[in-house]
Amino acid sequence: MRDFTGRVHRPGDAGYDEARRAWNRAVDPRPALVAEALTPQDVRCAVLEARTKEMPLTVQATGHGTLTDVPGALLLRTGDLDHVFVDPFRHEVTVGAGATWSEVIAAAAPYGLAPLSGTPWIGVSGYTLGGGAGYLSRKYGLAADSLLGATIVTADGELVEARDELLWALKGGGGNFGVVTELTLRLFPAERVVAGMSFHPADRAQDVLAAFEELEQPDELNAAVLLMPGMVGLRVLAVEGGERALDPLLKAAGEPVQGGFAEMSFQDAGDVLGPRHDPTPIAHGFELFHRLPPLEGVFGEVRRWGGAMAHGEGPAGHRDVPFSVISSEPVDLPGRTGGAFLNFLVDTSRTADAYTRADYERLVELKKRHDPDNLFRPSHLIGS
């Protein structure tokens, strides 16, 4: 590609197989071309190449959001755009599209600040554009809600600052509207937290779930129930004394077989709650509920939503639903709302379920306006 300074891989090249690989090993993308951008201008070159050659364009930073193969695509890798700059006075961080949360957390920690991150080794850009429900989200909102600005390459190859309707669309609309090269996000005070995981006998699971459903969970507490073969677990991160509300849940769970909770830095909490694991096939299910359904025989994670996540001006998510169930395999659970959340949605036929009807209709119109030729083809394609 003319003026492209990064590496380019074609089928049969020595680096092609490694460059094309998604984190989710259930997907085996085989693009016509893989381009690894080193600069925003490289991103622009790749977009113009795809537009000129009439090739669909897909993007990977860490590859966690890749769920489909797009035949004949140009796959643009942005992992080398990984700069991180913290402004401690404005409580903001500006990051390249390839940065991971661990890099942002480490840069913000000396100032007693933290992003609205999830698992530390996940990429910032895909997580944020998909909504981003993290450990501090009940207190401060979704990661998408913390998005202050973005630099983006549009379908006509222009490098612009996203504003107004385009910035709104990026707050949960995924990679449908251009290729983000840089994000500016708000940071929040979180120098010390109480965090950890505890594990209990499986026969306490139903008592724990009942207590979890009735728990008066303050915004300062993010707790989840983990349903596993042979045991039930609790995953907790609390700020500003939120751990004091845990008593009913701990009483229902009984003495732990292992694990527990302790005060620590937010950076250490990320490593405890989201340890790195190898790429693996993923085929999980995700559903939202107003009341928890019977969960006998279901393995996965039960989360409480709400708090600051119930508010926000972007299209991400269903703001009025209190519970989610992420299961290891798709299951048909009674009482599901039919809604979803983009970051957790593996079934790409359900993309519209990640939004309210009004927000999805607006996103479809914006997709037509900003990408009329459907150049950008993320796994969750708006308007498909």
Side-chain angles (χ1 to χ4, degrees):
M1 292 188 295
R2 184 179 179 183
D3 298 327
F4 190 87
T5 64
R7 295 178 296 274
V8 176
H9 310 277
R10 294 173 174 80
D13 289 350
Y16 173 79
D17 283 337
E18 183 61 30
R20 69 179 177 82
R21 189 166 290 131
W23 188 87
N24 181 356
R25 293 298 195 252
V27 186
D28 188 27
R30 295 183 176 275
L33 192 69
V34 182
E36 299 187 72
L38 296 178
T39 67
Q41 287 303 317
D42 278 350
V43 174
R44 184 171 178 271
C45 288
V47 170
L48 290 172
E49 177 79 3
R51 183 179 181 87
T52 300
K53 299 289 181 61
E54 298 185 346
M55 303 168 69
L57 184 78
T58 62
V59 181
Q60 288 185 11
T62 61
H64 286 80
T66 299
L67 302 171
T68 56
D69 180 26
V70 181
L74 189 161
L75 169 59
L76 176 61
R77 307 251 358 186
T78 60
D80 288 327
L81 303 175
D82 58 357
H83 60 276
V84 176
F85 173 75
V86 172
D87 185 335
F89 302 104
R90 298 174 66 90
H91 287 200
E92 296 176 7
V93 62
T94 299
V95 304
T100 62
W101 283 121
S102 61
E103 295 166 320
V104 177
I105 293 167
Y111 308 105
L113 299 172
L116 301 185
S117 56
T119 307
W121 41 274
I122 297 290
V124 174
S125 56
Y127 174 95
T128 301
L129 299 181
Y135 300 127
L136 294 172
S137 286
R138 284 185 49 80
K139 176 66 175 175
Y140 296 118
L142 299 174
D145 299 328
S146 75
L147 180 61
L148 300 173
T151 306
I152 186 170
V153 177
T154 63
D156 58 5
E158 294 298 315
L159 186 66
V160 303
E161 293 296 318
R163 302 188 186 281
D164 302 325
E165 65 181 21
L166 184 55
L167 184 60
W168 178 87
L170 295 180
K171 295 182 177 183
N176 280 276
F177 306 96
V179 182
V180 168
T181 62
E182 189 174 76
L183 301 170
T184 298
L185 304 162
R186 189 172 300 285
L187 297 172
F188 299 87
E191 188 168 5
R192 303 292 292 179
V193 301
V194 172
M197 293 190 287
S198 64
F199 300 94
H200 308 261
D203 61 9
R204 307 306 295 263
Q206 297 310 310
D207 290 339
V208 169
L209 288 169
F212 185 71
E213 185 168 23
E214 299 303 322
L215 184 68
E216 295 184 7
Q217 190 164 328
D219 296 355
E220 293 75 18
L221 175 63
N222 187 316
V225 177
L226 310 176
L227 303 173
M228 298 166 287
M231 65 179 66
V232 58
L234 301 176
R235 190 185 66 211
V236 169
L237 186 142
V239 296
E240 301 175 6
E243 71 277 3
R244 290 192 288 268
L246 278 172
D247 287 349
L249 201 56
L250 297 176
K251 182 178 179 180
E255 288 296 317
V257 175
Q258 65 183 72
F261 315 114
E263 183 178 326
M264 63 187 73
S265 69
F266 182 79
Q267 187 173 11
D268 288 342
D271 294 333
V272 169
L273 301 178
R276 181 180 293 274
H277 56 88
D278 293 333
T280 183
I282 297 176
H284 65 235
F286 178 89
E287 299 293 348
L288 293 167
F289 299 88
H290 288 291
R291 299 287 297 180
L292 287 181
L295 293 171
E296 290 88 354
V298 174
F299 299 124
E301 174 187 297
V302 182
R303 289 191 182 190
R304 176 74 68 91
W305 295 64
M309 289 187 284
H311 313 286
E313 298 180 354
H318 296 265
R319 304 281 184 163
D320 61 343
V321 179
F323 297 104
S324 71
V325 176
I326 306 172
S327 52
S328 57
E329 295 291 338
V331 290
D332 186 13
L333 296 171
R336 62 190 181 93
T337 67
F341 192 77
L342 205 69
N343 289 142
F344 299 120
L345 187 58
V346 173
D347 185 351
T348 57
S349 70
R350 293 187 56 199
T351 300
D353 293 346
Y355 309 97
T356 66
R357 177 175 294 182
D359 283 346
Y360 188 71
E361 289 175 352
R362 184 180 178 190
L363 287 170
V364 170
E365 289 305 310
L366 292 177
K367 175 70 170 176
K368 292 176 182 177
R369 188 178 308 163
H370 291 277
D371 185 19
D373 298 321
N374 210 19
L375 174 68
F376 303 118
R377 303 284 186 88
S379 295
H380 285 294
L381 184 61
I382 298 293
S384 60

